[in-house]
Amino acid sequence: MNQPVPPPDPVFTDRVAIVTGASSGIGAATATALAARGAMVALFARSAGKLAEVAARSRDRMLAVTGDVGSPEDVERLFSETEARFGDCDILINCAGMIDPHPFAKTSVEAWDRMFAVNTRGAFLTARRALPAMIARRSGTIVNVASISGVIGPKKFPGFVSYCASKAAVISMTEALAAEVARYGIRVNCVSPGSVDTEMLRRAGPGLVPDMTPEEVARTILFLASPESRPMSGQNLHVYSA
């Protein structure tokens, strides 16, 4: 059954958002929700075909840019094309992520570095590129998508050491960056979902039963991206069933 389309939201109308990892899962759900509420949304991922499918949902409010979030050149092109089409970024959502389970002793240096390039370096590159314009305007919102696997305490799974470490780095980066940019009126927060019904989860853990949908996580992200969460910065919201 098709979900009803929400009316434009004054909070997001004509705000410029960039969503990485927007070709599927949480990223696609978040980008779709932002556009439905009136935002101008740049979608970024490696899959041109999947990005085009998502962008087709709102052609006048979405821009699809293909690239690798771990590449400084691709991230620069993402922001340049977004600025040319919509203007400076108001809202940055870092959803790009990967899982590649391997026993720790058999994890290659290349595989470890790739995990951090996508999950951690990507968030660093996009935030670093977004900040100068946000600082100049003294406003802006960044939401990073980590994982409950990066939180100290919850049960971990064998083979996920590099993934857990990369997501823990995102959580720590969120907290530290929020403290650094608070004086400019910029907020930086994080979401750490549990198991979400995505293609990535099905590949990584075929036996796992998802706790939630991408759309449910997207609603939490939109809350953090909106003025409704204005008093919150440097926070990591755990979104999972106990």
Side-chain angles (χ1 to χ4, degrees):
M1 179 182 296
N2 293 329
Q3 295 294 319
V5 177
D9 185 338
V11 168
F12 293 113
T13 298
D14 295 331
R15 303 283 283 174
V16 178
I18 290 178
V19 182
T20 70
S23 61
S24 62
I26 296 170
T30 302
T32 301
L34 283 166
R37 287 163 174 76
M40 315 299 287
V41 188
L43 320 174
F44 188 67
R46 289 182 294 171
S47 174
K50 291 182 178 179
L51 275 183
E53 291 177 10
V54 177
R57 300 172 189 173
S58 184
R59 295 185 187 278
D60 60 332
R61 292 194 169 273
M62 286 187 172
L63 168 68
V65 182
T66 305
D68 184 340
V69 75
S71 164
E73 295 77 17
D74 287 359
V75 168
E76 176 58 38
R77 180 166 48 80
L78 162 65
F79 277 82
S80 295
E81 293 189 21
T82 301
E83 289 160 358
R85 172 81 178 272
F86 297 137
D88 290 330
C89 176
D90 298 300
I91 300 167
L92 172 62
I93 313 294
N94 282 310
C95 285
M98 65 173 287
I99 302 177
D100 185 21
H102 287 291
F104 182 74
K106 295 183 179 180
T107 299
S108 68
V109 172
E110 292 77 17
W112 180 274
D113 287 347
R114 181 59 187 164
M115 185 72 71
F116 273 79
V118 174
N119 292 351
T120 310
R121 174 184 166 106
F124 156 69
L125 290 174
T126 55
R128 185 182 66 163
R129 179 58 175 80
L131 279 173
M134 290 183 176
I135 290 172
R137 294 195 311 274
R138 303 189 74 82
S139 69
T141 303
I142 299 173
V143 182
N144 297 319
V145 178
S147 169
I148 206 68
S149 294
V151 176
I152 296 173
K155 179 182 177 181
K156 306 301 186 287
F157 298 97
F160 281 68
V161 174
S162 61
Y163 178 75
C164 293
S166 67
K167 289 300 188 179
V170 170
I171 295 168
S172 184
M173 180 174 67
T174 297
E175 183 177 357
L177 182 58
E180 185 170 313
V181 300
R183 59 184 172 144
Y184 302 112
I186 300 166
R187 296 188 302 113
V188 188
N189 286 296
C190 194
V191 174
S192 285
S195 56
V196 185
D197 188 12
T198 64
E199 181 181 337
M200 187 170 76
L201 178 72
R202 289 190 288 273
R203 289 197 308 267
L208 290 176
V209 178
D211 287 330
M212 69 204 86
T213 67
E215 288 72 22
E216 288 174 316
V217 181
R219 286 195 285 272
T220 302
I221 293 172
L222 262 65
F223 164 70
L224 289 176
S226 77
E228 292 182 15
S229 60
R230 184 195 60 78
M232 299 172 61
S233 192
Q235 302 302 305
N236 177 35
L237 295 189
H238 300 183
V239 187
Y240 76 111
S241 298

